[in-house]
Amino acid sequence: MRLRAPLPPGSTIGILGGGQLARMLSLAAARLGVNCHIYAPEKDSPAFAVSAAHTVAAYDDFAALEAFAGKVALVTYEFENVPGETAAFLDARVPVAPGVAALRTAQDRVDEKTFISGLGIPVAPFAAVSDIASLEAALARIGRPAVLKTRRFGYDGKGQTKIYDATDPEAAFAEIGRQAAILEGFVSFEREISVIAARGWSGEIAVYDVPENHHDNHILKTSTVPAGISPDVAERARTLGGRIIAALDYVGVIGVEMFVAGEEVIVNEIAPRVHNSGHWTMDACHVSQFEQHIRAVCGWPLGSAERHSDVVMTNLLGDEAARWRELAAEPGLHLHLYGKSEARPGRKMGDFNRLAPRQA
């Protein structure tokens, strides 16, 4: 279902998922006079503390979803693993943005890679895997090293394993739970970057500057803007992000993760939501990715994606959030804590942005 007219201030939108991304979306919406109703199964969801209303229920509780749809003018989501049946059920009742088709494409790594390569955009060599025979055939075609990933439900390095010359394919397939999978050829890259782009219902697109991303045990640790890439590579990456978001007929903010190899830009995967590597926009841009997403889904004009400062965003993982006193005392540092009750190793507990005058 499409949005017929822009939602005015005072409207209530629904967000599926109650984590830190929903929390930051709700805070951004409140600045625009838009209320958020969070729907999540976890009783201690961080977004509940800053939202106008919340519902605690399972994503397959269709009675609860029916009641939720009756209280909101539109539904969006903070994570890509929303069940397709849930999104389709809600889309029959209220506008859902990003749309169901875009969500489904991004949820399946084979469909995602097929879609992107169909646009003529470079991706790693890939093949669908359903059993040991198809895995061995894929390895014979693509070669080693390679990465075996579940087709669905993977994030922060979960649901994937690398296959080297000495790796037993049977053991690798068992490691990912013998699930439907994708085998991807290993990309020898110099840098990991991403593109954060937004698109409105009218087709208007805004693309942010390109961050360079560094990971710690598959979890994003820092995003640095500007990235250490040439202006030509940065512009090519931004152009690819814009092509992808337009081809998906996507409404909202999207994250597109990419590799840089020499002057070549290779798309890794799509995240159909606001993205961790875009948290720097909260303090270094005139309009953050979170406000941009609210503007886009509500049918408002998109804001400027211009950056006014150089910035390094750093994630606080696990017990690192206990440094809050030290960080809060640092002049010019912008601290964001997510209100999570328990710190676990590798769990994203907050982030901070260090700004510097813009140099380029």
Side-chain angles (χ1 to χ4, degrees):
M1 182 183 296
R2 293 188 68 84
L3 187 69
R4 292 193 176 94
L7 299 180
S11 300
T12 298
I13 66 171
I15 301 177
L16 298 177
Q20 66 265 21
L21 299 180
R23 181 184 176 98
M24 289 183 273
L25 284 169
S26 190
L27 288 168
R31 291 181 61 242
L32 301 179
V34 174
N35 302 310
C36 290
H37 184 145
I38 309 297
Y39 186 107
E42 299 85 6
K43 294 180 180 179
D44 61 348
S45 295
F48 290 173
V50 299
S51 60
H54 66 265
T55 295
V56 179
Y59 294 118
D60 60 358
D61 184 337
F62 293 100
L65 289 168
E66 183 78 54
F68 173 64
K71 297 174 182 176
V72 300
L74 175 143
V75 171
T76 187
Y77 39 86
E78 66 133 23
F79 73 116
E80 58 265 58
N81 291 329
V82 172
E85 299 79 4
T86 300
F89 180 87
L90 291 168
D91 190 53
R93 290 154 177 80
V94 292
V96 173
V100 176
L103 176 66
R104 285 177 170 159
T105 298
Q107 283 181 332
D108 186 301
R109 286 190 169 103
V110 173
D111 292 346
E112 177 185 83
K113 284 287 196 301
T114 301
F115 169 78
I116 297 168
S117 62
L119 297 176
I121 294 173
V123 297
F126 69 95
V129 169
S130 57
D131 52 27
I132 290 299
S134 59
L135 174 56
E136 290 178 340
L139 284 167
R141 179 166 67 85
I142 292 174
R144 307 186 189 208
V147 183
L148 183 66
K149 304 177 181 179
T150 56
R151 285 184 68 152
R152 299 170 62 85
F153 304 121
Y155 66 96
D156 287 346
K158 298 177 176 64
Q160 62 180 265
T161 186
K162 293 179 181 177
I163 298 180
Y164 299 100
D165 287 343
T167 303
D168 176 13
E170 174 71 43
F173 195 49
E175 187 174 337
I176 65 161
R178 302 182 184 279
Q179 301 179 60
I182 182 172
L183 185 76
E184 298 179 5
F186 193 77
V187 176
S188 180
F189 60 88
E190 288 104 42
R191 302 179 192 275
E192 293 182 80
I193 62 171
S194 56
V195 167
I196 307 299
R199 183 173 179 271
W201 291 95
S202 67
E204 178 188 7
I205 293 175
V207 184
Y208 288 90
D209 283 345
V210 177
E212 180 174 340
N213 303 315
H214 293 272
H215 293 77
D216 183 359
N217 194 28
H218 300 291
I219 300 172
L220 182 67
K221 186 59 183 172
T222 64
S223 292
T224 301
V225 186
I229 55 178
S230 71
D232 286 346
V233 169
E235 186 56 33
R236 190 175 311 127
R238 285 162 46 87
T239 298
L240 293 180
R243 285 180 58 195
I244 289 169
I245 199 171
L248 283 169
D249 192 23
Y250 188 100
V251 175
V253 166
I254 195 170
V256 184
E257 299 175 13
M258 305 174 177
F259 300 128
V260 176
E263 292 294 297
E264 187 176 16
V265 178
I266 301 159
V267 172
N268 181 27
E269 58 187 36
I270 297 170
R273 53 173 170 79
V274 288
H275 196 258
N276 193 177
S277 70
H279 289 2
W280 62 272
T281 64
M282 286 190 287
D283 301 304
C285 291
H286 297 290
V287 175
S288 75
Q289 66 164 344
F290 301 101
E291 179 180 332
Q292 199 76 281
H293 185 82
I294 299 300
R295 285 171 172 257
V297 301
C298 289
W300 290 30
L302 297 185
S304 170
E306 184 180 352
R307 172 175 57 89
H308 55 70
S309 299
D310 292 349
V311 57
V312 178
M313 188 283 299
T314 302
N315 272 331
L316 293 169
L317 307 177
D319 291 338
E320 291 174 348
R323 296 173 52 207
W324 62 268
R325 285 177 183 267
E326 167 197 342
L327 294 168
E330 182 177 326
L333 182 143
H334 299 262
L335 179 63
H336 305 275
L337 298 174
Y338 302 155
K340 295 182 178 180
S341 57
E342 180 186 359
R344 298 191 296 270
R347 191 182 194 195
K348 295 170 184 172
M349 301 298 293
D351 64 73
F352 61 87
N353 289 317
R354 282 193 176 101
L355 303 187
R358 179 167 178 168
Q359 300 298 312

